[in-house]
PDB file of all heavy atoms in Angstrom:
ATOM      1  N   LEU A 356       5.167  -1.739  20.026  1.00 98.00           N
ATOM      2  CA  LEU A 356       6.099  -2.108  21.100  1.00 98.00           C
ATOM      3  C   LEU A 356       5.372  -2.826  22.236  1.00 98.00           C
ATOM      4  O   LEU A 356       5.942  -3.712  22.889  1.00 98.00           O
ATOM      5  CB  LEU A 356       6.814  -0.859  21.621  1.00 98.00           C
ATOM      6  CG  LEU A 356       7.772  -0.182  20.633  1.00 98.00           C
ATOM      7  CD1 LEU A 356       8.372   1.073  21.244  1.00 98.00           C
ATOM      8  CD2 LEU A 356       8.874  -1.141  20.198  1.00 98.00           C
ATOM      9  N   TRP A 357       4.132  -2.473  22.476  1.00 98.00           N
ATOM     10  CA  TRP A 357       3.315  -3.193  23.464  1.00 98.00           C
ATOM     11  C   TRP A 357       3.116  -4.635  22.995  1.00 98.00           C
ATOM     12  O   TRP A 357       3.252  -5.593  23.771  1.00 98.00           O
ATOM     13  CB  TRP A 357       1.993  -2.474  23.640  1.00 98.00           C
ATOM     14  CG  TRP A 357       1.098  -3.010  24.721  1.00 98.00           C
ATOM     15  CD1 TRP A 357       1.308  -4.121  25.511  1.00 98.00           C
ATOM     16  CD2 TRP A 357      -0.162  -2.473  25.150  1.00 98.00           C
ATOM     17  NE1 TRP A 357       0.266  -4.308  26.388  1.00 98.00           N
ATOM     18  CE2 TRP A 357      -0.649  -3.313  26.190  1.00 98.00           C
ATOM     19  CE3 TRP A 357      -0.918  -1.380  24.751  1.00 98.00           C
ATOM     20  CZ2 TRP A 357      -1.866  -3.063  26.826  1.00 98.00           C
ATOM     21  CZ3 TRP A 357      -2.129  -1.132  25.387  1.00 98.00           C
ATOM     22  CH2 TRP A 357      -2.592  -1.973  26.418  1.00 98.00           C
ATOM     23  N   ALA A 358       2.800  -4.796  21.697  1.00 97.00           N
ATOM     24  CA  ALA A 358       2.598  -6.142  21.151  1.00 97.00           C
ATOM     25  C   ALA A 358       3.880  -6.971  21.210  1.00 97.00           C
ATOM     26  O   ALA A 358       3.821  -8.210  21.252  1.00 97.00           O
ATOM     27  CB  ALA A 358       2.105  -6.046  19.708  1.00 97.00           C
ATOM     28  N   ALA A 359       5.035  -6.295  21.238  1.00 97.00           N
ATOM     29  CA  ALA A 359       6.315  -7.010  21.285  1.00 97.00           C
ATOM     30  C   ALA A 359       6.552  -7.709  22.621  1.00 97.00           C
ATOM     31  O   ALA A 359       7.543  -8.429  22.776  1.00 97.00           O
ATOM     32  CB  ALA A 359       7.462  -6.043  21.013  1.00 97.00           C
ATOM     33  N   GLN A 360       5.656  -7.512  23.578  1.00 96.00           N
ATOM     34  CA  GLN A 360       5.814  -8.133  24.894  1.00 96.00           C
ATOM     35  C   GLN A 360       4.745  -9.178  25.180  1.00 96.00           C
ATOM     36  O   GLN A 360       4.616  -9.657  26.313  1.00 96.00           O
ATOM     37  CB  GLN A 360       5.763  -7.038  25.973  1.00 96.00           C
ATOM     38  CG  GLN A 360       6.801  -5.940  25.754  1.00 96.00           C
ATOM     39  CD  GLN A 360       6.633  -4.778  26.711  1.00 96.00           C
ATOM     40  OE1 GLN A 360       6.723  -4.948  27.924  1.00 96.00           O
ATOM     41  NE2 GLN A 360       6.383  -3.599  26.175  1.00 96.00           N
ATOM     42  N   LEU A 361       3.969  -9.554  24.154  1.00 96.00           N
ATOM     43  CA  LEU A 361       2.885 -10.511  24.359  1.00 96.00           C
ATOM     44  C   LEU A 361       3.441 -11.901  24.689  1.00 96.00           C
ATOM     45  O   LEU A 361       4.416 -12.346  24.097  1.00 96.00           O
ATOM     46  CB  LEU A 361       2.009 -10.592  23.112  1.00 96.00           C
ATOM     47  CG  LEU A 361       1.184  -9.344  22.789  1.00 96.00           C
ATOM     48  CD1 LEU A 361       0.479  -9.501  21.449  1.00 96.00           C
ATOM     49  CD2 LEU A 361       0.169  -9.072  23.895  1.00 96.00           C
ATOM     50  N   PRO A 362       2.808 -12.615  25.626  1.00 95.00           N
ATOM     51  CA  PRO A 362       3.293 -13.952  26.013  1.00 95.00           C
ATOM     52  C   PRO A 362       2.911 -15.010  24.988  1.00 95.00           C
ATOM     53  O   PRO A 362       2.109 -14.764  24.070  1.00 95.00           O
ATOM     54  CB  PRO A 362       2.579 -14.197  27.346  1.00 95.00           C
ATOM     55  CG  PRO A 362       1.314 -13.399  27.241  1.00 95.00           C
ATOM     56  CD  PRO A 362       1.664 -12.166  26.448  1.00 95.00           C
ATOM     57  N   ALA A 363       3.457 -16.187  25.146  1.00 93.00           N
ATOM     58  CA  ALA A 363       3.185 -17.293  24.222  1.00 93.00           C
ATOM     59  C   ALA A 363       1.797 -17.892  24.438  1.00 93.00           C
ATOM     60  O   ALA A 363       1.331 -18.664  23.595  1.00 93.00           O
ATOM     61  CB  ALA A 363       4.242 -18.376  24.382  1.00 93.00           C
ATOM     62  N   HIS A 364       1.154 -17.572  25.538  1.00 92.00           N
ATOM     63  CA  HIS A 364      -0.202 -18.080  25.815  1.00 92.00           C
ATOM     64  C   HIS A 364      -1.124 -16.903  26.098  1.00 92.00           C
ATOM     65  O   HIS A 364      -1.767 -16.825  27.151  1.00 92.00           O
ATOM     66  CB  HIS A 364      -0.186 -19.058  26.984  1.00 92.00           C
ATOM     67  CG  HIS A 364       0.717 -20.242  26.777  1.00 92.00           C
ATOM     68  ND1 HIS A 364       0.386 -21.284  25.942  1.00 92.00           N
ATOM     69  CD2 HIS A 364       1.943 -20.535  27.268  1.00 92.00           C
ATOM     70  CE1 HIS A 364       1.365 -22.171  25.934  1.00 92.00           C
ATOM     71  NE2 HIS A 364       2.327 -21.742  26.728  1.00 92.00           N
ATOM     72  N   ALA A 365      -1.209 -15.985  25.161  1.00 94.00           N
ATOM     73  CA  ALA A 365      -1.971 -14.757  25.358  1.00 94.00           C
ATOM     74  C   ALA A 365      -3.461 -14.991  25.144  1.00 94.00           C
ATOM     75  O   ALA A 365      -3.872 -15.803  24.315  1.00 94.00           O
ATOM     76  CB  ALA A 365      -1.477 -13.682  24.402  1.00 94.00           C
ATOM     77  N   GLY A 366      -4.260 -14.243  25.909  1.00 94.00           N
ATOM     78  CA  GLY A 366      -5.699 -14.195  25.682  1.00 94.00           C
ATOM     79  C   GLY A 366      -6.026 -12.951  24.878  1.00 94.00           C
ATOM     80  O   GLY A 366      -5.302 -11.949  24.941  1.00 94.00           O
ATOM     81  N   PHE A 367      -7.140 -13.007  24.139  1.00 95.00           N
ATOM     82  CA  PHE A 367      -7.422 -11.873  23.257  1.00 95.00           C
ATOM     83  C   PHE A 367      -7.721 -10.607  24.048  1.00 95.00           C
ATOM     84  O   PHE A 367      -7.062  -9.578  23.882  1.00 95.00           O
ATOM     85  CB  PHE A 367      -8.592 -12.184  22.315  1.00 95.00           C
ATOM     86  CG  PHE A 367      -8.927 -11.029  21.407  1.00 95.00           C
ATOM     87  CD1 PHE A 367      -8.140 -10.786  20.297  1.00 95.00           C
ATOM     88  CD2 PHE A 367      -9.988 -10.181  21.682  1.00 95.00           C
ATOM     89  CE1 PHE A 367      -8.422  -9.708  19.462  1.00 95.00           C
ATOM     90  CE2 PHE A 367     -10.283  -9.111  20.864  1.00 95.00           C
ATOM     91  CZ  PHE A 367      -9.495  -8.881  19.748  1.00 95.00           C
ATOM     92  N   TRP A 368      -8.727 -10.639  24.924  1.00 94.00           N
ATOM     93  CA  TRP A 368      -9.126  -9.422  25.636  1.00 94.00           C
ATOM     94  C   TRP A 368      -8.106  -9.029  26.704  1.00 94.00           C
ATOM     95  O   TRP A 368      -7.876  -7.843  26.943  1.00 94.00           O
ATOM     96  CB  TRP A 368     -10.513  -9.588  26.257  1.00 94.00           C
ATOM     97  CG  TRP A 368     -11.596  -9.658  25.231  1.00 94.00           C
ATOM     98  CD1 TRP A 368     -12.334 -10.742  24.882  1.00 94.00           C
ATOM     99  CD2 TRP A 368     -12.022  -8.590  24.376  1.00 94.00           C
ATOM    100  NE1 TRP A 368     -13.213 -10.432  23.869  1.00 94.00           N
ATOM    101  CE2 TRP A 368     -13.046  -9.121  23.543  1.00 94.00           C
ATOM    102  CE3 TRP A 368     -11.654  -7.257  24.235  1.00 94.00           C
ATOM    103  CZ2 TRP A 368     -13.698  -8.335  22.592  1.00 94.00           C
ATOM    104  CZ3 TRP A 368     -12.305  -6.477  23.280  1.00 94.00           C
ATOM    105  CH2 TRP A 368     -13.312  -7.010  22.471  1.00 94.00           C
ATOM    106  N   ALA A 369      -7.461  -9.999  27.288  1.00 94.00           N
ATOM    107  CA  ALA A 369      -6.498  -9.684  28.344  1.00 94.00           C
ATOM    108  C   ALA A 369      -5.177  -9.157  27.789  1.00 94.00           C
ATOM    109  O   ALA A 369      -4.519  -8.320  28.432  1.00 94.00           O
ATOM    110  CB  ALA A 369      -6.236 -10.925  29.196  1.00 94.00           C
ATOM    111  N   ASP A 370      -4.787  -9.599  26.597  1.00 96.00           N
ATOM    112  CA  ASP A 370      -3.452  -9.268  26.093  1.00 96.00           C
ATOM    113  C   ASP A 370      -3.449  -8.584  24.723  1.00 96.00           C
ATOM    114  O   ASP A 370      -2.766  -7.575  24.529  1.00 96.00           O
ATOM    115  CB  ASP A 370      -2.602 -10.552  26.001  1.00 96.00           C
ATOM    116  CG  ASP A 370      -2.442 -11.237  27.349  1.00 96.00           C
ATOM    117  OD1 ASP A 370      -1.818 -10.637  28.241  1.00 96.00           O
ATOM    118  OD2 ASP A 370      -2.950 -12.373  27.489  1.00 96.00           O
ATOM    119  N   LEU A 371      -4.206  -9.109  23.765  1.00 96.00           N
ATOM    120  CA  LEU A 371      -4.112  -8.608  22.395  1.00 96.00           C
ATOM    121  C   LEU A 371      -4.914  -7.335  22.156  1.00 96.00           C
ATOM    122  O   LEU A 371      -4.493  -6.477  21.372  1.00 96.00           O
ATOM    123  CB  LEU A 371      -4.588  -9.681  21.403  1.00 96.00           C
ATOM    124  CG  LEU A 371      -3.543 -10.676  20.891  1.00 96.00           C
ATOM    125  CD1 LEU A 371      -3.086 -11.594  22.025  1.00 96.00           C
ATOM    126  CD2 LEU A 371      -4.100 -11.491  19.731  1.00 96.00           C
ATOM    127  N   ALA A 372      -6.063  -7.205  22.794  1.00 96.00           N
ATOM    128  CA  ALA A 372      -6.971  -6.099  22.475  1.00 96.00           C
ATOM    129  C   ALA A 372      -6.327  -4.738  22.700  1.00 96.00           C
ATOM    130  O   ALA A 372      -6.500  -3.817  21.887  1.00 96.00           O
ATOM    131  CB  ALA A 372      -8.252  -6.230  23.304  1.00 96.00           C
ATOM    132  N   GLY A 373      -5.564  -4.588  23.779  1.00 96.00           N
ATOM    133  CA  GLY A 373      -4.951  -3.297  24.091  1.00 96.00           C
ATOM    134  C   GLY A 373      -4.045  -2.791  22.975  1.00 96.00           C
ATOM    135  O   GLY A 373      -4.276  -1.699  22.421  1.00 96.00           O
ATOM    136  N   PRO A 374      -3.015  -3.544  22.588  1.00 97.00           N
ATOM    137  CA  PRO A 374      -2.170  -3.069  21.483  1.00 97.00           C
ATOM    138  C   PRO A 374      -2.908  -2.962  20.161  1.00 97.00           C
ATOM    139  O   PRO A 374      -2.583  -2.108  19.334  1.00 97.00           O
ATOM    140  CB  PRO A 374      -1.053  -4.121  21.421  1.00 97.00           C
ATOM    141  CG  PRO A 374      -1.501  -5.272  22.225  1.00 97.00           C
ATOM    142  CD  PRO A 374      -2.458  -4.745  23.235  1.00 97.00           C
ATOM    143  N   PHE A 375      -3.935  -3.790  19.940  1.00 96.00           N
ATOM    144  CA  PHE A 375      -4.690  -3.702  18.692  1.00 96.00           C
ATOM    145  C   PHE A 375      -5.471  -2.392  18.619  1.00 96.00           C
ATOM    146  O   PHE A 375      -5.519  -1.738  17.571  1.00 96.00           O
ATOM    147  CB  PHE A 375      -5.641  -4.895  18.553  1.00 96.00           C
ATOM    148  CG  PHE A 375      -4.973  -6.143  18.034  1.00 96.00           C
ATOM    149  CD1 PHE A 375      -3.591  -6.241  17.976  1.00 96.00           C
ATOM    150  CD2 PHE A 375      -5.722  -7.216  17.596  1.00 96.00           C
ATOM    151  CE1 PHE A 375      -2.972  -7.375  17.499  1.00 96.00           C
ATOM    152  CE2 PHE A 375      -5.119  -8.362  17.107  1.00 96.00           C
ATOM    153  CZ  PHE A 375      -3.741  -8.447  17.068  1.00 96.00           C
TER     154      PHE A 375
END
Side-chain angles (χ1 to χ4, degrees):
L356 293 178
W357 186 356
Q360 304 173 61
L361 292 174
H364 302 285
F367 179 78
W368 291 109
D370 300 295
L371 272 68
F375 278 13

